[in-house]
Amino acid sequence: MEGLTISVWVLALLIAVALAFDFMNGFHDGANSISTIVATGALTPKQAVLFAAFFNFAALWVFQLKVAATIGKGTVDPSFVDHYVIFGALCGALAWNIITWFYGIPSSSSHALIGGLVGATIAKSGSLAPIVWSGFGKILAFIILSPLVGFLIGGLLMVLVAWVFRNHSPRQAGRWFSHAQLFAAAAYSLGHGGNDAQKTIGIIWLLLISAGAATADVQTLPNWVVYSCYFAIAWGTYLGGWRIVKTMGTKITKLNPVSGSCASMGGAISLGLATLGGIPVSTTHTITGAIVGVGTAQDVKAVRWGITLNLVVAWILTIPASGLIAAACWKLGRSFLG
Amino acid sequence: MFSSLMPQRKEFFDLLAAHSDRVVAGANAALRLVNSLGSNSKDVEALVEEVNLNEKSADKIKSDLITLLHNSFTTPINRDQIHTLTLDLDNVLDTLQDVANAVAMYHIKDSTPEAREMASLSADACMRLNRAVITLADKKRSQETIDLCKEIDQIESRADKVLRKAVAKLFQDGGDVWMAMKMREFYFLQENVLDYCEEAAKTIEEILIENS
Protein backbone atom coordinates (compact mmCIF):
# COMPACT_ATOMS: atom_id res chain seq x y z
CA MET A 1 0.00 0.00 0.00
CA GLU A 2 2.26 2.70 -1.31
CA GLY A 3 -0.53 5.28 -1.29
CA LEU A 4 -0.71 5.41 2.45
CA THR A 5 2.33 7.60 2.55
CA ILE A 6 0.21 10.65 3.25
CA SER A 7 -0.31 11.52 6.84
CA VAL A 8 -3.62 11.03 8.58
CA TRP A 9 -3.66 14.75 9.27
CA VAL A 10 -3.46 15.72 5.63
CA LEU A 11 -6.16 13.20 4.85
CA ALA A 12 -8.37 14.58 7.62
CA LEU A 13 -7.73 18.14 6.49
CA LEU A 14 -8.71 17.39 2.91
CA ILE A 15 -11.85 15.54 4.00
CA ALA A 16 -12.74 18.52 6.18
CA VAL A 17 -12.28 20.89 3.24
CA ALA A 18 -14.44 18.62 1.06
CA LEU A 19 -17.17 18.56 3.70
CA ALA A 20 -16.94 22.33 4.04
CA PHE A 21 -17.44 22.57 0.29
CA ASP A 22 -20.49 20.33 0.64
CA PHE A 23 -21.77 22.42 3.53
CA MET A 24 -21.36 25.61 1.48
CA ASN A 25 -23.28 24.00 -1.34
CA GLY A 26 -26.24 23.36 0.95
CA PHE A 27 -25.85 26.79 2.49
CA HIS A 28 -25.87 28.41 -0.91
CA ASP A 29 -28.75 26.51 -2.51
CA GLY A 30 -30.92 25.80 0.51
CA ALA A 31 -33.13 28.79 -0.14
CA ASN A 32 -34.01 27.77 -3.69
CA SER A 33 -36.29 24.91 -2.77
CA ILE A 34 -38.17 26.66 0.00
CA SER A 35 -38.52 30.24 -1.16
CA THR A 36 -41.95 29.66 -2.69
CA ILE A 37 -43.38 27.68 0.24
CA VAL A 38 -42.31 30.39 2.65
CA ALA A 39 -43.47 33.20 0.40
CA THR A 40 -46.94 31.70 0.12
CA GLY A 41 -47.14 30.95 3.82
CA ALA A 42 -47.52 27.18 3.46
CA LEU A 43 -44.81 26.75 6.08
CA THR A 44 -43.07 29.10 8.47
CA PRO A 45 -39.40 29.77 7.65
CA LYS A 46 -38.26 27.56 10.52
CA GLN A 47 -40.45 24.65 9.42
CA ALA A 48 -39.38 25.16 5.84
CA VAL A 49 -35.63 24.99 6.47
CA LEU A 50 -36.06 21.89 8.64
CA PHE A 51 -38.23 20.39 5.92
CA ALA A 52 -35.66 21.08 3.20
CA ALA A 53 -32.75 19.89 5.35
CA PHE A 54 -34.58 16.67 6.15
CA PHE A 55 -35.28 15.84 2.51
CA ASN A 56 -31.73 16.72 1.50
CA PHE A 57 -30.56 14.13 3.99
CA ALA A 58 -33.29 11.64 3.09
CA ALA A 59 -31.88 11.44 -0.42
CA LEU A 60 -29.36 9.12 1.20
CA TRP A 61 -31.98 6.36 1.24
CA VAL A 62 -33.38 7.12 -2.17
CA PHE A 63 -30.50 7.22 -4.61
CA GLN A 64 -27.68 4.81 -5.27
CA LEU A 65 -24.15 6.22 -5.34
CA LYS A 66 -24.00 6.49 -9.11
CA VAL A 67 -23.11 10.19 -9.23
CA ALA A 68 -20.39 9.59 -6.66
CA ALA A 69 -19.05 6.82 -8.85
CA THR A 70 -18.96 9.09 -11.89
CA ILE A 71 -16.94 11.68 -9.97
CA GLY A 72 -14.84 9.13 -8.10
CA LYS A 73 -13.79 6.96 -11.00
CA GLY A 74 -15.56 8.10 -14.14
CA THR A 75 -14.10 11.58 -14.68
CA VAL A 76 -10.37 11.06 -14.30
CA ASP A 77 -8.35 7.89 -13.90
CA PRO A 78 -8.17 7.34 -10.12
CA SER A 79 -4.65 5.92 -10.35
CA PHE A 80 -3.38 9.34 -11.42
CA VAL A 81 -4.95 11.13 -8.54
CA ASP A 82 -3.06 11.90 -5.38
CA HIS A 83 -3.87 14.16 -2.46
CA TYR A 84 -2.23 17.12 -4.21
CA VAL A 85 -4.71 16.77 -7.02
CA ILE A 86 -7.63 16.67 -4.58
CA PHE A 87 -6.22 19.69 -2.78
CA GLY A 88 -5.90 21.52 -6.07
CA ALA A 89 -9.41 20.52 -7.15
CA LEU A 90 -11.01 21.68 -3.90
CA CYS A 91 -9.06 24.94 -3.81
CA GLY A 92 -9.81 25.67 -7.45
CA ALA A 93 -13.52 25.04 -6.94
CA LEU A 94 -13.67 27.07 -3.74
CA ALA A 95 -11.72 29.96 -5.24
CA TRP A 96 -13.92 30.06 -8.34
CA ASN A 97 -17.04 29.89 -6.19
CA ILE A 98 -15.87 32.88 -4.16
CA ILE A 99 -14.96 34.84 -7.30
CA THR A 100 -18.32 34.19 -8.97
CA TRP A 101 -20.18 34.88 -5.75
CA PHE A 102 -18.36 38.21 -5.53
CA TYR A 103 -19.25 39.17 -9.08
CA GLY A 104 -22.76 37.76 -8.86
CA ILE A 105 -22.35 35.22 -11.66
CA PRO A 106 -24.71 32.26 -11.13
CA SER A 107 -21.96 29.73 -11.53
CA SER A 108 -22.29 26.11 -10.55
CA SER A 109 -20.20 24.72 -7.70
CA SER A 110 -20.58 21.29 -9.30
CA HIS A 111 -18.97 22.43 -12.51
CA ALA A 112 -16.27 24.19 -10.52
CA LEU A 113 -15.50 20.99 -8.65
CA ILE A 114 -15.28 18.96 -11.83
CA GLY A 115 -13.24 21.67 -13.55
CA GLY A 116 -10.91 21.74 -10.57
CA LEU A 117 -10.49 17.99 -10.58
CA VAL A 118 -9.76 17.85 -14.28
CA GLY A 119 -7.47 20.91 -14.13
CA ALA A 120 -5.37 19.56 -11.26
CA THR A 121 -5.12 16.13 -12.90
CA ILE A 122 -3.93 17.64 -16.18
CA ALA A 123 -1.40 19.75 -14.27
CA LYS A 124 -0.02 16.67 -12.64
CA SER A 125 0.14 14.37 -15.64
CA GLY A 126 1.02 17.09 -18.12
CA SER A 127 -1.36 15.57 -20.67
CA LEU A 128 -5.03 14.86 -21.29
CA ALA A 129 -4.45 11.12 -20.97
CA PRO A 130 -5.94 10.56 -17.49
CA ILE A 131 -9.28 12.08 -18.44
CA VAL A 132 -12.00 9.48 -18.78
CA TRP A 133 -13.76 10.95 -21.77
CA SER A 134 -16.89 8.84 -21.50
CA GLY A 135 -17.60 10.30 -18.05
CA PHE A 136 -16.22 13.78 -18.56
CA GLY A 137 -17.91 14.07 -21.95
CA LYS A 138 -21.22 13.15 -20.36
CA ILE A 139 -20.70 15.83 -17.73
CA LEU A 140 -19.84 18.43 -20.38
CA ALA A 141 -22.90 17.56 -22.44
CA PHE A 142 -25.16 17.82 -19.42
CA ILE A 143 -23.87 21.27 -18.54
CA ILE A 144 -26.00 22.38 -21.45
CA LEU A 145 -28.55 19.58 -21.38
CA SER A 146 -29.58 19.80 -17.73
CA PRO A 147 -30.96 23.36 -17.87
CA LEU A 148 -32.66 22.45 -21.16
CA VAL A 149 -34.25 19.36 -19.64
CA GLY A 150 -35.32 21.47 -16.66
CA PHE A 151 -36.71 24.07 -19.06
CA LEU A 152 -38.70 21.45 -21.00
CA ILE A 153 -40.09 19.61 -18.01
CA GLY A 154 -40.89 22.82 -16.11
CA GLY A 155 -42.64 24.34 -19.12
CA LEU A 156 -44.58 21.19 -19.95
CA LEU A 157 -45.71 20.82 -16.35
CA MET A 158 -47.00 24.39 -16.47
CA VAL A 159 -48.89 23.62 -19.69
CA LEU A 160 -50.33 20.47 -18.13
CA VAL A 161 -51.46 22.34 -15.01
CA ALA A 162 -53.00 25.09 -17.15
CA TRP A 163 -55.08 22.49 -18.96
CA VAL A 164 -56.11 20.61 -15.84
CA PHE A 165 -57.13 23.85 -14.11
CA ARG A 166 -58.34 25.67 -17.21
CA ASN A 167 -61.78 26.23 -15.67
CA HIS A 168 -60.48 27.56 -12.38
CA SER A 169 -59.09 30.96 -11.59
CA PRO A 170 -55.39 31.04 -10.63
CA ARG A 171 -56.46 31.80 -7.08
CA GLN A 172 -58.62 28.71 -6.84
CA ALA A 173 -55.82 26.62 -8.34
CA GLY A 174 -53.39 28.24 -5.92
CA ARG A 175 -55.35 26.92 -2.96
CA TRP A 176 -54.89 23.40 -4.26
CA PHE A 177 -51.23 24.05 -4.87
CA SER A 178 -50.49 25.17 -1.34
CA HIS A 179 -50.29 21.43 -0.64
CA ALA A 180 -48.78 20.38 -3.93
CA GLN A 181 -45.90 22.77 -3.51
CA LEU A 182 -44.83 20.99 -0.31
CA PHE A 183 -44.57 17.82 -2.31
CA ALA A 184 -42.66 19.59 -5.07
CA ALA A 185 -40.25 21.24 -2.63
CA ALA A 186 -39.64 17.88 -0.94
CA ALA A 187 -38.91 16.28 -4.30
CA TYR A 188 -36.58 19.10 -5.24
CA SER A 189 -34.70 18.84 -1.94
CA LEU A 190 -34.33 15.10 -2.51
CA GLY A 191 -32.94 15.73 -5.98
CA HIS A 192 -30.61 18.42 -4.69
CA GLY A 193 -29.26 16.31 -1.85
CA GLY A 194 -28.95 13.26 -4.05
CA ASN A 195 -26.95 14.90 -6.79
CA ASP A 196 -24.88 17.41 -4.84
CA ALA A 197 -23.92 15.41 -1.76
CA GLN A 198 -22.73 12.62 -4.01
CA LYS A 199 -20.25 14.92 -5.72
CA THR A 200 -18.44 15.38 -2.42
CA ILE A 201 -18.76 11.67 -1.71
CA GLY A 202 -17.08 11.11 -5.06
CA ILE A 203 -14.22 13.49 -4.21
CA ILE A 204 -13.63 11.89 -0.79
CA TRP A 205 -13.85 8.48 -2.36
CA LEU A 206 -11.19 9.50 -4.86
CA LEU A 207 -9.04 10.77 -2.00
CA LEU A 208 -9.44 7.50 -0.10
CA ILE A 209 -8.53 5.54 -3.22
CA SER A 210 -5.41 7.63 -3.67
CA ALA A 211 -4.52 7.15 -0.02
CA GLY A 212 -5.04 3.42 -0.35
CA ALA A 213 -7.87 3.39 2.17
CA ALA A 214 -10.47 2.31 -0.37
CA THR A 215 -10.70 0.87 -3.86
CA ALA A 216 -12.90 1.63 -6.85
CA ASP A 217 -15.35 -0.93 -5.50
CA VAL A 218 -18.30 0.80 -3.85
CA GLN A 219 -18.24 -1.80 -1.04
CA THR A 220 -14.96 -0.42 0.21
CA LEU A 221 -16.36 3.07 0.61
CA PRO A 222 -16.88 3.61 4.34
CA ASN A 223 -20.42 4.43 5.40
CA TRP A 224 -19.35 7.42 7.46
CA VAL A 225 -18.30 9.18 4.26
CA VAL A 226 -21.78 8.88 2.83
CA TYR A 227 -23.50 9.88 6.05
CA SER A 228 -21.24 12.83 6.76
CA CYS A 229 -21.61 14.19 3.22
CA TYR A 230 -25.39 14.03 3.36
CA PHE A 231 -25.29 15.50 6.83
CA ALA A 232 -23.05 18.37 5.72
CA ILE A 233 -25.38 19.36 2.88
CA ALA A 234 -28.46 19.06 5.10
CA TRP A 235 -26.86 21.16 7.81
CA GLY A 236 -25.77 23.73 5.24
CA THR A 237 -29.32 23.84 3.92
CA TYR A 238 -30.66 24.30 7.42
CA LEU A 239 -28.41 27.25 8.14
CA GLY A 240 -28.45 28.78 4.66
CA GLY A 241 -32.18 28.48 4.13
CA TRP A 242 -32.69 31.42 6.41
CA ARG A 243 -31.49 33.80 3.75
CA ILE A 244 -34.69 33.46 1.80
CA VAL A 245 -35.02 37.09 0.88
CA LYS A 246 -33.35 36.97 -2.48
CA THR A 247 -33.62 33.80 -4.49
CA MET A 248 -33.61 32.55 -8.03
CA GLY A 249 -37.38 32.42 -7.84
CA THR A 250 -37.82 36.14 -7.62
CA LYS A 251 -34.86 37.11 -9.76
CA ILE A 252 -35.81 35.39 -12.97
CA THR A 253 -39.57 35.64 -13.02
CA LYS A 254 -42.36 36.08 -10.51
CA LEU A 255 -43.49 32.78 -9.05
CA ASN A 256 -46.78 32.00 -7.32
CA PRO A 257 -47.78 28.70 -5.67
CA VAL A 258 -48.79 27.23 -9.03
CA SER A 259 -45.78 28.21 -11.11
CA GLY A 260 -43.49 27.70 -8.11
CA SER A 261 -44.68 24.12 -7.75
CA CYS A 262 -44.24 23.48 -11.45
CA ALA A 263 -40.71 24.89 -11.36
CA SER A 264 -39.71 22.88 -8.27
CA MET A 265 -41.26 19.72 -9.67
CA GLY A 266 -39.63 20.26 -13.06
CA GLY A 267 -36.28 20.74 -11.33
CA ALA A 268 -36.89 17.73 -9.11
CA ILE A 269 -37.71 15.41 -12.01
CA SER A 270 -34.71 16.56 -14.02
CA LEU A 271 -32.37 16.18 -11.03
CA GLY A 272 -33.84 12.81 -10.14
CA LEU A 273 -33.33 11.53 -13.68
CA ALA A 274 -29.74 12.80 -13.73
CA THR A 275 -29.01 11.25 -10.34
CA LEU A 276 -30.49 7.91 -11.40
CA GLY A 277 -28.36 8.06 -14.51
CA GLY A 278 -25.27 8.84 -12.45
CA ILE A 279 -24.72 12.22 -14.09
CA PRO A 280 -23.44 15.06 -11.93
CA VAL A 281 -25.37 18.16 -12.98
CA SER A 282 -25.64 21.66 -11.65
CA THR A 283 -28.71 21.87 -9.43
CA THR A 284 -28.81 25.66 -9.71
CA HIS A 285 -28.75 25.57 -13.49
CA THR A 286 -31.38 22.85 -13.60
CA ILE A 287 -33.83 24.74 -11.41
CA THR A 288 -33.06 27.91 -13.34
CA GLY A 289 -33.98 26.09 -16.55
CA ALA A 290 -37.22 24.93 -14.94
CA ILE A 291 -38.06 28.45 -13.71
CA VAL A 292 -37.43 29.89 -17.17
CA GLY A 293 -39.58 27.14 -18.72
CA VAL A 294 -42.45 27.94 -16.39
CA GLY A 295 -41.99 31.66 -17.01
CA THR A 296 -42.00 31.18 -20.78
CA ALA A 297 -45.20 29.15 -20.64
CA GLN A 298 -46.94 31.99 -18.85
CA ASP A 299 -45.49 34.88 -20.77
CA VAL A 300 -42.21 35.10 -22.62
CA LYS A 301 -41.85 38.71 -21.50
CA ALA A 302 -42.14 37.67 -17.86
CA VAL A 303 -38.66 36.13 -18.07
CA ARG A 304 -35.73 38.37 -17.37
CA TRP A 305 -33.51 37.06 -20.10
CA GLY A 306 -30.50 39.11 -18.96
CA ILE A 307 -30.11 36.93 -15.89
CA THR A 308 -30.55 33.77 -17.89
CA LEU A 309 -27.87 34.95 -20.29
CA ASN A 310 -25.42 35.08 -17.37
CA LEU A 311 -25.87 31.34 -17.15
CA VAL A 312 -24.42 30.87 -20.59
CA VAL A 313 -21.37 32.90 -19.58
CA ALA A 314 -21.02 30.71 -16.50
CA TRP A 315 -21.30 27.58 -18.66
CA ILE A 316 -18.38 28.59 -20.82
CA LEU A 317 -16.15 30.01 -18.10
CA THR A 318 -16.53 27.76 -15.08
CA ILE A 319 -14.67 24.60 -16.05
CA PRO A 320 -11.64 26.26 -17.68
CA ALA A 321 -11.35 28.90 -14.96
CA SER A 322 -11.66 26.58 -11.99
CA GLY A 323 -9.37 24.14 -13.81
CA LEU A 324 -6.68 26.80 -14.17
CA ILE A 325 -6.92 27.83 -10.54
CA ALA A 326 -6.83 24.17 -9.52
CA ALA A 327 -3.68 23.62 -11.56
CA ALA A 328 -2.03 26.52 -9.78
CA CYS A 329 -3.23 25.23 -6.41
CA TRP A 330 -1.85 21.80 -7.26
CA LYS A 331 1.61 23.34 -7.69
CA LEU A 332 1.18 25.29 -4.48
CA GLY A 333 0.03 22.21 -2.58
CA ARG A 334 3.10 20.26 -3.66
CA SER A 335 5.37 22.81 -2.07
CA PHE A 336 3.92 22.76 1.41
CA LEU A 337 1.52 19.81 1.85
CA GLY A 338 3.19 16.79 3.45
CA MET B 1 -42.66 27.91 -27.33
CA PHE B 2 -44.83 26.77 -24.41
CA SER B 3 -47.27 29.64 -24.66
CA SER B 4 -48.74 28.19 -27.86
CA LEU B 5 -49.45 24.94 -25.99
CA MET B 6 -51.30 26.71 -23.20
CA PRO B 7 -55.12 26.81 -23.28
CA GLN B 8 -55.82 29.71 -25.65
CA ARG B 9 -59.28 30.70 -24.41
CA LYS B 10 -60.35 32.48 -27.58
CA GLU B 11 -63.87 32.72 -26.16
CA PHE B 12 -62.83 35.90 -24.38
CA PHE B 13 -62.37 37.57 -27.74
CA ASP B 14 -65.67 36.12 -28.97
CA LEU B 15 -67.49 37.57 -25.99
CA LEU B 16 -65.79 40.95 -26.34
CA ALA B 17 -66.72 40.97 -30.03
CA ALA B 18 -70.33 40.09 -29.18
CA HIS B 19 -70.34 42.85 -26.59
CA SER B 20 -69.12 45.40 -29.14
CA ASP B 21 -71.74 44.14 -31.64
CA ARG B 22 -74.37 45.28 -29.13
CA VAL B 23 -72.61 48.66 -28.96
CA VAL B 24 -72.91 49.08 -32.74
CA ALA B 25 -76.55 47.99 -32.74
CA GLY B 26 -77.31 50.41 -29.91
CA ALA B 27 -75.53 53.30 -31.64
CA ASN B 28 -77.37 52.64 -34.91
CA ALA B 29 -80.70 52.55 -33.12
CA ALA B 30 -79.84 55.83 -31.40
CA LEU B 31 -78.89 57.36 -34.75
CA ARG B 32 -82.16 56.29 -36.34
CA LEU B 33 -83.96 57.57 -33.25
CA VAL B 34 -82.44 61.04 -33.53
CA ASN B 35 -83.11 61.11 -37.28
CA SER B 36 -86.74 60.14 -36.88
CA LEU B 37 -87.46 62.80 -34.25
CA GLY B 38 -90.16 65.11 -35.48
CA SER B 39 -91.73 62.54 -37.76
CA ASN B 40 -93.44 59.41 -36.43
CA SER B 41 -93.74 59.16 -32.63
CA LYS B 42 -94.49 55.41 -32.85
CA ASP B 43 -91.10 54.91 -34.48
CA VAL B 44 -89.44 56.96 -31.77
CA GLU B 45 -90.87 54.77 -29.01
CA ALA B 46 -89.83 51.59 -30.79
CA LEU B 47 -86.31 52.92 -31.33
CA VAL B 48 -85.91 53.90 -27.65
CA GLU B 49 -86.96 50.35 -26.84
CA GLU B 50 -84.39 49.00 -29.29
CA VAL B 51 -81.57 50.90 -27.58
CA ASN B 52 -82.75 49.61 -24.19
CA LEU B 53 -82.88 46.03 -25.45
CA ASN B 54 -79.34 46.23 -26.76
CA GLU B 55 -78.15 47.57 -23.45
CA LYS B 56 -79.87 44.71 -21.65
CA SER B 57 -78.41 42.06 -23.89
CA ALA B 58 -74.96 43.66 -23.51
CA ASP B 59 -75.30 43.46 -19.74
CA LYS B 60 -75.84 39.73 -20.06
CA ILE B 61 -72.70 39.41 -22.18
CA LYS B 62 -70.75 41.45 -19.67
CA SER B 63 -71.81 39.24 -16.80
CA ASP B 64 -70.95 36.11 -18.82
CA LEU B 65 -67.52 37.56 -19.47
CA ILE B 66 -66.91 38.32 -15.81
CA THR B 67 -68.05 34.81 -14.84
CA LEU B 68 -65.67 33.37 -17.40
CA LEU B 69 -62.87 35.50 -15.97
CA HIS B 70 -63.50 33.89 -12.60
CA ASN B 71 -63.38 30.44 -14.13
CA SER B 72 -60.31 30.61 -16.31
CA PHE B 73 -56.78 29.70 -15.48
CA THR B 74 -55.34 31.47 -18.48
CA THR B 75 -56.55 34.49 -20.43
CA PRO B 76 -55.35 35.56 -23.88
CA ILE B 77 -54.65 39.08 -22.63
CA ASN B 78 -54.33 40.41 -19.11
CA ARG B 79 -57.25 39.60 -16.86
CA ASP B 80 -57.75 43.18 -15.70
CA GLN B 81 -57.50 44.53 -19.23
CA ILE B 82 -60.32 42.27 -20.37
CA HIS B 83 -62.30 43.51 -17.40
CA THR B 84 -61.54 47.17 -18.14
CA LEU B 85 -62.46 46.81 -21.80
CA THR B 86 -65.78 45.17 -21.09
CA LEU B 87 -66.57 47.92 -18.55
CA ASP B 88 -65.68 50.55 -21.17
CA LEU B 89 -68.02 48.94 -23.69
CA ASP B 90 -70.67 48.80 -21.00
CA ASN B 91 -70.22 52.54 -20.38
CA VAL B 92 -70.71 53.29 -24.08
CA LEU B 93 -74.02 51.43 -24.06
CA ASP B 94 -75.12 53.10 -20.83
CA THR B 95 -74.55 56.54 -22.34
CA LEU B 96 -76.39 55.52 -25.51
CA GLN B 97 -79.27 54.50 -23.31
CA ASP B 98 -79.10 57.88 -21.54
CA VAL B 99 -79.38 59.61 -24.92
CA ALA B 100 -82.38 57.50 -25.93
CA ASN B 101 -84.19 58.00 -22.64
CA ALA B 102 -83.49 61.73 -22.65
CA VAL B 103 -85.80 62.04 -25.66
CA ALA B 104 -88.80 61.16 -23.50
CA MET B 105 -87.46 62.75 -20.33
CA TYR B 106 -86.91 66.17 -21.87
CA HIS B 107 -89.84 65.88 -24.30
CA ILE B 108 -87.58 66.44 -27.26
CA LYS B 109 -89.88 66.55 -30.25
CA ASP B 110 -87.55 67.72 -32.95
CA SER B 111 -83.94 67.05 -33.70
CA THR B 112 -81.40 69.59 -34.88
CA PRO B 113 -78.73 69.25 -37.58
CA GLU B 114 -76.13 69.24 -34.80
CA ALA B 115 -77.90 66.45 -32.88
CA ARG B 116 -78.06 64.40 -36.07
CA GLU B 117 -74.39 65.03 -36.74
CA MET B 118 -73.45 64.01 -33.19
CA ALA B 119 -75.54 60.84 -33.49
CA SER B 120 -73.93 59.95 -36.77
CA LEU B 121 -70.43 60.59 -35.37
CA SER B 122 -71.15 58.31 -32.43
CA ALA B 123 -72.42 55.60 -34.79
CA ASP B 124 -69.17 55.96 -36.77
CA ALA B 125 -67.06 55.69 -33.64
CA CYS B 126 -68.99 52.65 -32.37
CA MET B 127 -68.61 50.91 -35.72
CA ARG B 128 -64.85 51.43 -35.54
CA LEU B 129 -64.77 50.31 -31.93
CA ASN B 130 -66.47 47.09 -32.98
CA ARG B 131 -63.88 46.47 -35.68
CA ALA B 132 -61.03 47.32 -33.32
CA VAL B 133 -62.28 44.77 -30.79
CA ILE B 134 -62.57 42.13 -33.52
CA THR B 135 -59.09 42.78 -34.95
CA LEU B 136 -57.64 42.75 -31.42
CA ALA B 137 -57.93 38.95 -31.44
CA ASP B 138 -55.54 38.72 -34.38
CA LYS B 139 -52.01 39.84 -33.63
CA LYS B 140 -51.23 40.13 -37.33
CA ARG B 141 -53.85 42.83 -37.69
CA SER B 142 -52.52 45.04 -34.91
CA GLN B 143 -51.73 47.88 -37.32
CA GLU B 144 -55.37 47.91 -38.38
CA THR B 145 -56.41 48.03 -34.73
CA ILE B 146 -54.06 50.94 -34.02
CA ASP B 147 -55.45 52.86 -37.02
CA LEU B 148 -59.03 52.28 -35.89
CA CYS B 149 -58.23 53.58 -32.43
CA LYS B 150 -56.68 56.69 -33.95
CA GLU B 151 -59.79 57.25 -36.07
CA ILE B 152 -62.00 56.97 -32.99
CA ASP B 153 -59.86 59.62 -31.37
CA GLN B 154 -60.27 61.91 -34.39
CA ILE B 155 -64.03 61.38 -34.47
CA GLU B 156 -64.22 62.33 -30.81
CA SER B 157 -62.30 65.57 -31.52
CA ARG B 158 -64.67 66.37 -34.34
CA ALA B 159 -67.64 65.78 -32.05
CA ASP B 160 -66.11 68.20 -29.54
CA LYS B 161 -66.11 70.90 -32.20
CA VAL B 162 -69.67 70.12 -33.24
CA LEU B 163 -70.73 70.30 -29.60
CA ARG B 164 -69.15 73.72 -29.06
CA LYS B 165 -70.70 75.06 -32.23
CA ALA B 166 -74.10 73.59 -31.32
CA VAL B 167 -74.12 75.01 -27.80
CA ALA B 168 -73.01 78.42 -29.06
CA LYS B 169 -75.88 78.37 -31.51
CA LEU B 170 -78.38 77.50 -28.77
CA PHE B 171 -77.40 80.45 -26.64
CA GLN B 172 -77.41 83.08 -29.36
CA ASP B 173 -79.27 86.24 -28.41
CA GLY B 174 -82.98 85.99 -28.89
CA GLY B 175 -83.02 82.18 -28.86
CA ASP B 176 -85.56 79.98 -27.15
CA VAL B 177 -84.26 79.52 -23.55
CA TRP B 178 -86.42 76.50 -22.86
CA MET B 179 -85.18 74.78 -25.98
CA ALA B 180 -81.60 75.78 -25.19
CA MET B 181 -81.74 74.10 -21.77
CA LYS B 182 -83.15 70.87 -23.14
CA MET B 183 -80.85 70.60 -26.12
CA ARG B 184 -77.76 71.61 -24.21
CA GLU B 185 -78.34 68.63 -21.91
CA PHE B 186 -79.03 66.39 -24.88
CA TYR B 187 -75.85 67.38 -26.70
CA PHE B 188 -73.74 66.72 -23.64
CA LEU B 189 -75.28 63.27 -23.28
CA GLN B 190 -74.43 62.62 -26.91
CA GLU B 191 -70.88 63.79 -26.30
CA ASN B 192 -70.60 61.33 -23.39
CA VAL B 193 -71.03 58.42 -25.82
CA LEU B 194 -68.01 59.58 -27.77
CA ASP B 195 -65.97 60.15 -24.62
CA TYR B 196 -66.51 56.55 -23.60
CA CYS B 197 -65.70 55.33 -27.11
CA GLU B 198 -62.42 57.16 -26.71
CA GLU B 199 -61.87 55.52 -23.31
CA ALA B 200 -62.41 52.09 -24.85
CA ALA B 201 -60.01 52.93 -27.68
CA LYS B 202 -57.42 53.95 -25.10
CA THR B 203 -57.82 50.62 -23.32
CA ILE B 204 -57.36 48.78 -26.61
CA GLU B 205 -54.22 50.81 -27.32
CA GLU B 206 -52.84 49.91 -23.90
CA ILE B 207 -53.49 46.23 -24.57
CA LEU B 208 -51.66 46.53 -27.88
CA ILE B 209 -48.69 48.27 -26.29
CA GLU B 210 -48.40 45.62 -23.61
CA ASN B 211 -48.62 42.76 -26.09
CA SER B 212 -46.52 44.27 -28.85
Side-chain angles (χ1 to χ4, degrees), chain A residues 151 159 162-163 165-170 258 297 301, chain B residues 1-3 5-7 9 70-73 79 210:
Chain A
F151 173 82
V159 170
W163 278 100
F165 287 93
R166 67 185 178 285
N167 292 331
H168 298 265
S169 73
V258 182
K301 288 186 298 298
Chain B
M1 67 188 281
F2 295 114
S3 37
L5 296 175
M6 296 288 266
R9 300 255 113 170
H70 282 298
N71 295 309
S72 296
F73 188 79
R79 221 162 263 276
E210 198 156 303

Side-chain angles (χ1 to χ4, degrees), chain A residues 155-180:
Chain A
L156 288 176
L157 276 175
M158 192 66 219
V159 170
L160 183 74
V161 165
W163 278 100
V164 171
F165 287 93
R166 67 185 178 285
N167 292 331
H168 298 265
S169 73
R171 231 193 1 186
Q172 290 165 325
R175 234 174 284 144
W176 195 86
F177 271 91
S178 60
H179 305 290

Side-chain angles (χ1 to χ4, degrees), chain B residues 6 8 25 30 63 74 86 92-93 98 105 108 121 127 184 189 191 193 200:
Chain B
M6 296 288 266
Q8 297 297 311
S63 92
T74 46
T86 199
V92 176
L93 269 158
D98 289 344
M105 210 157 63
I108 296 173
L121 285 174
M127 195 261 288
R184 179 188 169 278
L189 289 174
E191 168 63 15
V193 178

Side-chain angles (χ1 to χ4, degrees), chain B residues 23 27 30 88 91-99 118-119 121-123 125-126 129 156 187-199:
Chain B
V23 172
D88 287 341
N91 282 332
V92 176
L93 269 158
D94 282 346
T95 49
L96 281 167
Q97 196 181 22
D98 289 344
V99 169
M118 291 289 279
L121 285 174
S122 69
C126 289
L129 188 55
E156 198 276 338
Y187 292 153
F188 274 96
L189 289 174
Q190 285 188 303
E191 168 63 15
N192 273 347
V193 178
L194 284 139
D195 283 344
Y196 281 114
C197 284
E198 199 188 9
E199 282 291 308

